[in-house]
Amino acid sequence: MKPGLVIFFDVDNTLLDNDAVYAGLHERTAAALGPERDRRFWEIYNEVRAINDVVDIPAAIEQFQREFPGLPAAAELHRLVFDFPFAEVVFPTTPAAVAHAGALGLPAVLSDGDSRFQPHKISASGVAAMFDGRVVIRQHKELEFPQVEQLYPAGHYVMVDDKPRIHRALKARYGDTITTIMVCQGHYAAEDHDYHGADIVLEDIGELTSLTADELKRPAGAR
Ligand SMILES: [Mg+2]
């Protein structure tokens, strides 16, 4: 039997402060590489992002190491990035939100990202454990939703995410079979104010604890 309700959570700036992760990573690489090489490293990061159409820090590190073979600081980069204290940037209200979702339906992580750094972040932060390991990572979740549905069949879906663009795309394609919840955390929420794809808008992930199963199952158009 299909579970009635599957509640997907994005990770970056939804469950943890990814803007803080990047601020911390910038500090770490700047200290290790010095300004010139640090600038080059983040340039490569953007080049990799443009070529692969996904953020891929390990690939950027490998490219940087090819450009600076024998540079001790380059060899250290992987450890610097992967050793980040990810558990410290989980939003304080995240555990309560996930627990509440677990009482109303089946919560799972649905994150965009690469296949090495992103799973590490989700595991090392403690987020994977909060979901009992239910973690799906895709390059473009809104385009790969049909495969995600196969993994988690449900009568109704909820997507909790900080990117207005994701809500617009999912809403346009899935209409009333999905409830889209925008969380106004992080830089995407500040840069893109077109929330028309979102059925529910929350300022903080913790506000999810005030929503009922009926509210999650009923998209805005049906209210
Ligand atoms: Mg996000």
Side-chain angles (χ1 to χ4, degrees), residues 10 12 14 161-162:
D10 170 57
D12 295 338
T14 295
D161 204 296
D162 66 296

Side-chain angles (χ1 to χ4, degrees), residues 16 21 81-90 117 120-121 124-125:
L16 58 79
V21 170
V81 167
F82 277 68
D83 275 1
F84 187 88
F86 296 103
E88 293 176 12
V89 296
V90 174
F117 178 68
H120 171 76
K121 185 204 291 175
S125 61

Side-chain angles (χ1 to χ4, degrees), residues 4-24:
L5 185 64
V6 169
I7 305 164
F8 285 123
F9 288 80
D10 170 57
V11 172
D12 295 338
N13 289 333
T14 295
L15 298 178
L16 58 79
D17 185 350
N18 203 50
D19 293 349
V21 170
Y22 272 86

Side-chain angles (χ1 to χ4, degrees), residues 26 84 92 125 132 135 209:
H26 274 279
F84 187 88
S125 61
D132 296 325
V135 175
T209 56

Side-chain angles (χ1 to χ4, degrees), residues 107-135:
V109 162
L110 177 54
S111 173
D112 287 336
D114 75 294
S115 60
R116 292 177 285 176
F117 178 68
Q118 194 67 3
H120 171 76
K121 185 204 291 175
I122 292 170
S123 171
S125 61
V127 164
M130 285 179 213
F131 289 84
D132 296 325
R134 290 184 299 276
V135 175

